[in-house]
Each structure stands twice: as C-alpha cells, then as structure tokens.
Amino acid sequence: MELADRAALAGDVPVGALVVRGSAALGVGWNTREARNDPAGHAEIAALREAAQAVGDWRLEGCDLYVTLEPCTMCAGAIVASRVARVVFGAWDPKAGAAGSVRDVLRDARLNHRVEVVGGVCEDECSRQLRAFFGR
C-alpha cells in the first residue's frame, strides 16, 4: 500500500506491486501511466521488469507477486508469460479484473502456465485507498 501511495502522489491510480522469491524482494512497482505518459505503466509491469532484471531472466518461476488491485488483462498476460507462481491481491476490480472477477486469465487452462491466485487480502484497506483517490 505504501507503493500505491507513490502512484497517488504523482496523480496516478494508487496501485502498488511487489515481486518476491522466498524472503527476497526482487522488484517493486507502482502505477506511472500519468507520470510517464505510458499506457503500460502499471504497477505489476514495473515490478515484473525490475524482478527480471534482478534475477537476469524473464522467467520468474518460484516468485510471488503482491499487488493492491486485481490485475487487468494486460498485466495478467505479463504475469502468465513471466511464469510467476502466485498472485496475491487486495481489492477486486469488478470492471477490469482478470484474476477471477471479470475474466480469469491467470488460471485459464488453455494457456501454457497457470498461476495460483489469492484475492481479497487486506481488501478493505486496499479498497479504501482506491475510493479515497477517486473521492468516494
């Protein structure tokens, strides 16, 4: 949630992400679409890129990704492609979620990799953070 605060301070939707293997944090990210005029500037993408650089491989097998909001379709595709083992997220996204709410890209049996999904962790706090940003 602290990473999500970084996004909000820059005028972006407060979403933060962290890639971990064992007890080591490998990559962090927060939304930067507004700050960098980057349509792919999602927290998950930034965290995955940093983690891949840290391990020297695009394959992030054995890694977990923690994120404050359910990943969208773009991020879910990147998560599957990077072979992340598990995604743990806070708030569900009933408009664009791709980890079980609107779609379930992460566990789609037609893809070459499936990801374990744990949703709703610290859901109230993450949802509150998002609602505060949007003024509701």
Side-chain angles (χ1 to χ4, degrees):
M1 290 183 65
E2 290 175 19
L3 295 169
D5 285 337
R6 293 183 189 185
L9 288 172
D12 276 287
V13 175
V15 178
L18 174 69
V19 175
V20 175
R21 182 181 286 154
S23 62
L26 301 175
V28 299
W30 53 90
N31 278 1
T32 58
R33 289 191 316 164
E34 298 296 332
R36 295 186 180 165
N37 296 313
D38 179 2
H42 287 206
E44 300 95 324
I45 300 296
L48 291 170
R49 285 178 175 154
E50 190 172 289
Q53 290 299 308
V55 301
D57 195 344
W58 60 268
R59 294 171 195 87
L60 297 175
E61 294 165 338
C63 291
D64 297 332
L65 184 140
Y66 295 86
V67 62
T68 57
L69 179 64
E70 179 184 4
C72 70
T73 302
M74 174 183 71
C75 293
I79 291 163
V80 169
S82 67
R83 313 294 195 267
V84 164
R86 180 174 65 156
V87 170
V88 178
F89 67 87
W92 292 91
D93 185 348
K95 293 182 181 180
S101 61
V102 178
R103 291 172 197 79
D104 199 351
V105 173
L106 297 179
R107 295 178 286 201
D108 190 325
R110 297 169 292 182
L111 300 177
N112 62 336
H113 178 72
R114 276 161 297 293
V115 180
E116 178 185 348
V117 175
V118 179
V121 175
C122 298
E123 182 176 6
D124 291 340
E125 297 93 326
C126 292
S127 295
R128 204 171 14 255
Q129 186 180 43
L130 287 160
R131 281 192 307 273
F133 178 80
F134 289 109
R136 294 187 228 159

